[in-house]
Amino acid sequence: MINIVIAGAVGLVLSMLGTPLAIRLFSRRGIGQNVREEGVQAHLGKKGTPTMGGIVFVLAALLAYGASHLATLEPPTVSGMLVLFLMTGLGAVGFLDDFIKIYKQRSLGLRSGAKALGQLVVGAVFAVLVTRQPNVYGITPAETRVSFLRDIGPSIGIVGFTIWVLIMIVGFSNAVNLTDGLDGLASGATGAVLAAYVLIGNWQLRNNCIDQLGPNCYWVRDPLDLSVVAAAVLGALIGFLWWNAPPARIFMGDTGSLALGGVLAGLAIATRTQLLLIILAGLCVIITLSVIIQVGSFKMTGKRVFRMAPLQHHFELKGWAETTIVVRFWLIAILCAALGLGLFYVEWMPK
């Protein structure tokens, strides 16, 4: 498993060293965060903080993945490359959004329709390719079936599966985007999920059906390389979090949040744990639900359930310190990831 260690270590070092360079470069070029005047007033002091920091950990993760394969002389796999494609493609959509915000000096970037279109195009390419490219054993990166701990139920067909994958990709990329907003919150929350996928991929490798056919084995095409992808992104994210932790010296922007949502969705699809991601990334799901509840309540009754949505801003307006919210939400994220891992391993417990 040396390639997992190499990927994580290289990602960490590259991001740790690259982020301060990006801070200086972005500061000189005036690439700073714009803050909504009607938002939380305490955030007005963050105006001008360098943003688009997601570029750093996306590039660091890509280089770390490549370095791990160069060091071990093992070729990249289709599954790993597809997940990285999804991460990079959605990161590019986020980059356009961030660039427009900076260029036009406003807090809103791409129009919602254009942003959704970009996510759908990248997601559709991924959805089509992930059911193709079988290996020598005929195993493709994904099957046209819904999965929980493994594939379940009958095939839903390529059209149904594409729609389902698009829902996952758009849903989780936007969920991480909504979780972003407080210094280090999204980084820590997604980091817990990535750590879980390092373990899940490794466990699937040790119990794959090719080496030992059994009732609980996994028909996952490239579990080891998916662990490498998760480790590369995790290492890069930790290096970025060093500079993004409160008080943040740089923000990831939509470049980072959409990319992270993409890699989580991609890992869930390729490891065939799609529904399990709802539990693993439970904090992101809760925060997204808070927005849905807030909007739905206001449209139907004219009343708000929370002082402000997403949920983290509700607690800010209640007087909680930003660091208190971030640490407590990190704890919730870790508990959700631990619960998801517990469910993943439960079927291996003696009956």
Side-chain angles (χ1 to χ4, degrees), residues 167-190:
I167 291 172
M168 281 196 65
I169 291 170
V170 174
F172 278 98
S173 60
N174 287 328
V176 177
N177 186 245
L178 291 171
T179 303
D180 194 20
L182 298 185
D183 298 352
L185 178 56
S187 301
T190 52

Side-chain angles (χ1 to χ4, degrees), residues 35-46 308 317:
V35 180
R36 290 185 303 165
E37 296 294 334
E38 67 274 15
V40 179
Q41 294 302 299
H43 289 194
L44 296 178
K46 299 182 180 183
M308 186 177 179
L317 294 180

Side-chain angles (χ1 to χ4, degrees), residues 141-204:
E143 294 288 340
T144 55
R145 298 162 66 188
V146 177
S147 60
F148 180 42
L149 305 179
R150 59 184 73 246
D151 290 333
I152 55 176
S155 169
I156 57 176
I158 187 63
V159 175
F161 183 74
T162 299
I163 293 172
W164 167 237
V165 167
L166 289 177
I167 291 172
M168 281 196 65
I169 291 170
V170 174
F172 278 98
S173 60
N174 287 328
V176 177
N177 186 245
L178 291 171
T179 303
D180 194 20
L182 298 185
D183 298 352
L185 178 56
S187 301
T190 52
V193 185
L194 289 167
Y197 273 114
V198 173
L199 298 175
I200 286 173
N202 189 43
W203 184 260
Q204 290 177 333

Side-chain angles (χ1 to χ4, degrees), residues 287-305:
I287 287 174
T288 303
L289 287 175
S290 74
V291 175
I292 295 172
I293 292 169
Q294 183 85 327
V295 173
S297 175
F298 187 76
K299 286 187 175 181
M300 290 187 293
T301 67
K303 297 180 179 180
R304 293 179 172 85
V305 176

Side-chain angles (χ1 to χ4, degrees), residues 14-34:
L14 290 177
S15 185
M16 193 82 168
L17 298 177
T19 304
L21 296 177
I23 292 171
R24 289 195 290 270
L25 175 63
F26 293 170
S27 296
R28 284 200 299 266
R29 294 185 174 273
I31 301 176
Q33 178 73 27
N34 291 296

